[in-house]
Amino acid sequence: ACMTAAVVSELRNRALFSFNRLGRKDFLWLPLIVPCLSNVLYATCFSGAFSPALDAGKAALAFADDLVVSVMEEILFRGFLFMYFLTLFQDKKKGGVYAILLSSIAFGAIHLVNIFSNPPVAVLAQVGYSFLLGVVLSLVYLGSENFVLPVLGHFLFNALNDTVPSMFLSYSMDTAYYIWNAVLGVFALLYAVGIAIVMERRKNHVS
């Protein structure tokens, strides 16, 4: 309890939300848009069918919901929880790794609430994918030091991977679907880790 109080006290003195000016190096994160399009790509390239059912009002509400959810979840999981663990383990050699993993595990686990309304396999896949998304967004935040980027990434993931396909495409969530998403998820993870390492080395070289 004393340790938690000390960490919370220190968090009050630390900016939870960094908004450093974006530079050319931050364009390195752009390829991560590909996993945001995973369902669109799968539907259009493999098993989907074009089935437009656009309702402007519902579309606006859906995108607004995506934005609100993205902002709120990023505030909680990257803004507070990630920074909490980062402060808690600041004296550890791999404190950043612990902070990323623990906050991402929590982000994945929160999606277990969907077990009451969705098939277990789909929910477990969502938990796993949310964990990977949490790791990637944490790395983006750590590398860019700009809170706007993880919020934008989260919004694009929700909007392009769920809202847009539900409006225009239909596809089956079969074994190939889960394999496709797993491959893109691993790609995103490896790419984000690679870019974060490059940026950290450049930062250390400059300092």
Side-chain angles (χ1 to χ4, degrees):
C2 292
M3 182 180 292
T4 301
V7 171
V8 172
S9 177
E10 185 164 341
L11 280 172
R12 289 174 181 170
N13 300 319
R14 174 183 287 199
L16 296 182
F17 312 108
S18 299
F19 296 95
N20 284 3
R21 184 176 180 179
L22 297 176
R24 287 181 297 177
K25 65 178 178 61
D26 294 302
F27 283 100
L28 292 171
W29 300 113
L30 273 178
L32 291 174
I33 193 92
V34 174
C36 295
L37 293 165
S38 61
N39 286 346
V40 172
L41 293 173
Y42 180 77
T44 54
C45 296
F46 299 108
S47 70
F50 185 67
S51 56
L54 181 62
D55 181 304
K58 290 183 178 179
L61 288 175
F63 286 125
D65 181 67
D66 288 336
L67 181 59
V68 170
V69 168
S70 299
V71 171
M72 297 306 295
E73 288 189 347
E74 288 309 302
I75 289 174
L76 175 60
F77 290 101
R78 253 62 64 188
F80 177 77
L81 201 59
F82 172 62
M83 293 302 295
Y84 173 87
F85 287 127
L86 201 59
T87 303
L88 184 65
F89 297 115
Q90 63 183 340
D91 296 326
K92 302 287 186 181
K93 185 177 181 180
K94 296 184 178 180
V97 175
Y98 299 149
I100 290 172
L101 291 178
L102 289 173
S103 60
S104 300
I105 288 172
F107 181 57
I110 197 70
H111 292 83
L112 283 171
V113 298
N114 295 323
I115 197 71
F116 299 107
S117 57
N118 293 282
V121 173
V123 173
L124 290 176
Q126 184 184 25
V127 168
Y129 217 90
S130 296
F131 167 76
L132 291 178
L133 179 63
V135 172
V136 170
L137 293 177
S138 296
L139 289 169
V140 170
Y141 189 24
L142 203 58
S144 67
E145 297 183 337
N146 191 309
F147 189 68
V148 171
L149 286 190
V151 171
L152 179 61
H154 196 150
F155 169 73
L156 289 176
F157 184 84
N158 287 353
L160 299 179
N161 227 13
D162 184 23
T163 303
V164 170
S166 68
M167 292 178 185
F168 300 106
L169 300 165
S170 62
Y171 53 90
S172 58
M173 298 174 66
D174 51 16
T175 302
Y177 167 84
Y178 290 113
I179 293 175
W180 168 259
N181 277 280
V183 169
L184 286 184
V186 171
F187 157 77
L189 177 62
L190 295 177
Y191 183 84
V193 169
I195 295 301
I197 291 174
V198 169
M199 288 186 171
E200 185 64 24
R201 286 179 178 174
R202 285 182 178 177
K203 188 186 300 183
N204 293 337
H205 180 70
V206 172
S207 59

